[in-house]
Structure formats: structure tokens, C-alpha cells
Amino acid sequence: MIRLYISEPTPAFSAGLILPLNTDQGRYLTSVMRKGAGDVVSIFNGRDGEWTAEISEAGKRLVTLKLIEQTRTQPTGQGPVLAVALIKRGPLEYIIEKATELGASRIQLLTTRRTQSDHVKLERLKIIAQEAAEQTERLDVPEIVAPIKLEAFLAAPGVEVIVFGDEDSTHEGDARQTQPLLEVLSTLTNRRAAILIGPEGGFDDHERQTLRGMENVYPVNLGPRILRADTAAISALTLYQAALGDWK
Ligand code: SAH
């Protein structure tokens, strides 16, 4: 069944509520998917769970839905936060899509000393997250937050714990030997955590020292090989969901 994320503000979903769709969604339903009055779709808005709704009007300019019944309640749990340094467009878009499928609740974009640019097409990334949420049958869409400096994120991460992928630890001779991610996760119980992944060039020494010196920041290794940032983000999120998250 077609799933649509309703991003516009609406009254709380209830049986019989009439919802006008925005132009893009109206056109997608009628022109692209060839749906018409009476056809049923599935909708969610991130707050009211998932509802079935029938197309009550399928005009050229206006398509409206009439809500039928709630089919899934809104989950309460909050997925992990992913804080990721800006990388090349392709791999970054790939991270947004996969992090959405893996249940990230927020994706905080970061600039660090080695990120090449500080510009992203934020609206495009939000659409990617929305489409991935519809496809993966989530009942919410991760918040994609415009890039801020690493230091600004560390000053107000919005989570209790930061687990940072420390690629430097793959080499021996590191004074503070980092732990494997799973080991650190098993000590976190149910505290809100963010996974922090650096750019293609990695964190620089000053950033690494800052991170290692912080109370609520845990450096972890993601195995003995250097992973690309997208591989690192996805594998860390996977381990997080399996160890602490909703992969029961
Ligand atoms: N400086 C590296 C590239 C960094 S990889 C190089 O020599 O090519 C991009 C990011 O992925 C890193 O900043 C780190 O957060 C994460 N990462 C990659 N491999 C990792 C590993 N084995 N352990 C921990 N983090 C890793």
C-alpha cells in the first residue's frame, strides 16, 4: 500500500478527518500512481501513528483524503542520534537514507577541521529522509539538522553520551586503547547516545584530544580496518540497534 508522510501541520488524526494533500503528493497519487476517489492509502505524521485513509476527492488542483482508522500506534522510543561530518554528496545522501532505515532519530551534520565544504542541499537531504521513512515503514522521519561546527555540537549534543569512531585507534601504540563499540554500548544501558563519525580525512589530532578528554565521550574502534565514513556510520548504527535499540 502507498505510504505518505504528512509533513504539514494538521489536527490530530481521527476517523473521518478530511486532509488536503499538498500539490506534489496530490499529483503523485493521481498522476504518477494513477489512484482515484475511493482508493485507500496509508499515512503518518510522526505523532499520531499510522492511519488508513481513502481518497475522498481527486481533482486536478486538489486531492483530499478522509481518514478511516489507525492501523499502528506511534512508538515512544527514540532512536540513536547520528552526528556525521560533511563528506562528498553521494556518500552523504547514502548515509541519510541508510540511517533513516536503521532508525536514527536525528542526523546532525557537522563541519570539522578536515571537511571540504560547509554547504549542503538540506532540503534535498530532508526529502531523501522522508522517502526512506515512507519506504522503510517508519512512523516518523529523522530530523536532518543543518551543519554546525564539531565544537558547537560537543557543547550541546542533546544526548547524555557520545560514542565517537576513533579511527586512530586501529594503529597500535595508542596510550588509551579504545574499546570495541559493542563493549562500550553494553555499558550504556538506556542512556540516549549519539554516534559521531568523522570526514574522509578523519579527525585531526586537536579534535581527537578534545574528544578523548571529555567526560561523556567514549572513543571506540570499529574493527581493525579503516572504514569509509558511510560504512562506519552504517555499521555503528547497526551495532547500536542490535545492542541497545529496537532490533529485539
Ligand atoms: N583518516 C582515515 C579516514 C577516516 S574514515 C584514513 O586514514 O583514511 C572516516 C571516519 O570513519 C573516521 O573519522 C571515524 O569516525 C570512522 N572510522 C573509520 N574506520 C574506523 C575504525 N576502524 N574505528 C573507528 N572509527 C572508524
Side-chain angles (χ1 to χ4, degrees), residues 165-167 170 197-203 220-223 225-227 232:
D166 184 350
E167 78 275 11
T170 50
I197 301 293
E200 294 96 339
F203 292 108
V220 292
N221 74 64
L222 298 175
R225 288 167 294 281
I226 294 282
L227 310 177

Side-chain angles (χ1 to χ4, degrees), residues 78-80 161 163 181-182 184-193 237-248:
Q78 280 272 313
V161 169
V163 173
L181 174 56
L182 264 186
V184 171
L185 291 178
S186 63
T187 65
L188 296 186
T189 57
N190 56 3
R191 288 186 293 166
R192 287 291 314 284
L237 281 170
T238 302
L239 284 176
Y240 180 98
Q241 290 295 38
L244 279 185
D246 60 8
W247 284 19
K248 298 262 180 303

Side-chain angles (χ1 to χ4, degrees), residues 124-246:
R124 176 171 166 73
L125 299 181
K126 290 183 177 180
I127 295 285
I128 289 171
Q130 191 174 313
E131 287 174 354
E134 289 168 348
Q135 176 274 328
T136 200
E137 301 193 353
R138 277 183 65 146
L139 294 184
D140 61 354
V141 179
E143 187 190 358
I144 312 297
V145 187
I148 56 173
K149 286 188 181 312
L150 172 64
E151 290 73 17
F153 171 67
L154 296 178
V159 290
E160 294 157 86
V161 169
I162 296 172
V163 173
F164 102 90
D166 184 350
E167 78 275 11
D168 203 37
S169 62
T170 50
H171 307 298
E172 292 316 311
D174 167 41
R176 177 177 167 187
Q177 188 55 39
T178 52
Q179 291 173 288
L181 174 56
L182 264 186
E183 244 175 62
V184 171
L185 291 178
S186 63
T187 65
L188 296 186
T189 57
N190 56 3
R191 288 186 293 166
R192 287 291 314 284
I195 294 166
L196 170 60
I197 301 293
E200 294 96 339
F203 292 108
D204 83 354
D205 289 345
H206 179 265
E207 288 167 339
R208 183 171 286 104
Q209 290 323 316
T210 304
L211 285 161
R212 287 184 179 175
M214 289 179 71
E215 193 53 46
N216 65 337
V217 175
Y218 295 80
V220 292
N221 74 64
L222 298 175
R225 288 167 294 281
I226 294 282
L227 310 177
R228 285 190 185 280
D230 48 352
T231 316
I234 290 157
S235 48
L237 281 170
T238 302
L239 284 176
Y240 180 98
Q241 290 295 38
L244 279 185
D246 60 8

